[in-house]
Every structure is written in C-alpha cells, then in structure tokens.
Amino acid sequence: MAAALEEPDLEVEEEGSEEEEASASYPLDVIYCGVCTLPVEYCEHTAEYEKCKEWWKTNYPDIYLRVIERGAADLSLDPSGKKRQTRGGKALKKAKKKEVEKRVTVARASRGKRKFVTVICGLTTMEIDLKKAAKTFGSRFACGSSVTGPDEIVIQGDVTDDLIDFVQEKWPEVTDDIIDDIGDQKISKR
C-alpha cells in the first residue's frame, strides 16, 4: 500500500521500440485509482470516470493535468467540423426483424394404424403465444395438446377441419389466405 502512495515516473512509452523496453526498470510502479481500483490509464473506460478525475485532482494533481491535456487532444475537431468518436466504436444499430412470410399450416399425421395427431405450424409468425394456444386447443377439443418445436403444436386426434375454423374465430388476423391444410404428413421419430 505504501508503494501506491509514492509518486512514480509516469512517462508514456510508445510500443515497438526495443531500446525503450530495455531501459524500463522492473518492477514497474503502478498507481491504482482510489475510486475504481484500476490503473489510472484505464479509469476513462469506467462508469465512475468523473469521480476518478476528482480523486486524481486531490491526490495526484500532476496526473490530473496530464489526463485533462490528453483528453482535450482526443476531443479535438476533425477538418469537417464534426466531433470524432473517442471510444466505444460505432453506435449500436437496432437489428431489424426480418419480414417472414405469414403462413400457418395444418397437417394430419399418422400415429399408428388408426390414430392420428394434428400438427399446426406457423403461429409464431402471427405473434401468437404457443403455450397459450396449445392450452386453448386442449381445452377446446378435449384432448392432449403440446408444443413440440420452436413453431409447432401437436394436438391429439384428427381435428383439422374444426381447428381451422377455431383458429380463424379465436385469432381474426389468421385469414383464409394465410392458413393452409397440407393434408397427411408422416410424423418424424426422434
């Protein structure tokens, strides 16, 4: 702790020079900030940068003056008159959602010799919650219903005709143009 209170020589060296690396005396004396506990070179990357500057001003005024001079040089204007970005890179742009074709498909899949399940896909393109829809289908058709994939609900029993009418009644945004009955389909074994 006593080493941190001594004021070391803070000459900033350019990287890549072998002569300067050989002249550095080891171990290096590093000053740690009393606010963010990082070396003073890294304080500008923290959220408490203003508090760090106040700490430097009271404890190490010469470092404070060098940091202010360096900061003023970084904020200088470029020839076009705009402020340069000093850190953080380019501003984050919000990712646009891809326009996905709104299509709901209903299919009947064989589950054995005489038993069938109804598979409905594409409800997430209409922004319908799959868990709530599966629960609604199960209570409406008095059967088991579950979410089996990222965009797939399996309903026990052959309810394709009733399902199409019910989906259009429950969610009016699903029109005849959007919903398709693709007929029989083989169920994939996992």
Side-chain angles (χ1 to χ4, degrees), residues 103 120-125 130 147-153:
R103 177 76 51 208
I120 184 166
C121 299
L123 289 176
T124 55
T125 61
L130 293 181
V147 178
T148 58
D151 191 24
E152 181 179 76
I153 297 176

Side-chain angles (χ1 to χ4, degrees), residues 112-177:
K113 291 185 180 179
R114 295 181 303 170
K115 298 190 179 198
F116 296 94
V117 294
T118 305
V119 180
I120 184 166
C121 299
L123 289 176
T124 55
T125 61
M126 304 300 295
E127 297 180 4
I128 297 172
D129 185 26
L130 293 181
K131 285 187 175 184
K132 290 180 181 177
K135 186 164 177 80
T136 305
F137 296 148
S139 62
R140 169 68 171 88
F141 300 116
C143 62
S145 176
S146 63
V147 178
T148 58
D151 191 24
E152 181 179 76
I153 297 176
V154 173
I155 304 165
Q156 294 177 358
D158 182 12
V159 293
T160 52
D161 297 331
D162 297 332
L163 179 65
I164 292 172
D165 295 335
F166 178 69
V167 167
Q168 291 175 341
E169 176 186 313
K170 179 81 174 166
W171 295 284
E173 65 265 17
V174 181
T175 61
D176 284 335
D177 300 334

Side-chain angles (χ1 to χ4, degrees), residues 8-14 20 23-24 28-29 41 63 66:
D9 186 25
L10 290 177
E11 295 285 330
V12 178
E13 298 179 9
E14 296 293 324
E20 292 174 359
S23 67
L28 296 176
D29 292 327
E41 296 87 19
I63 296 174
R66 275 192 249 151

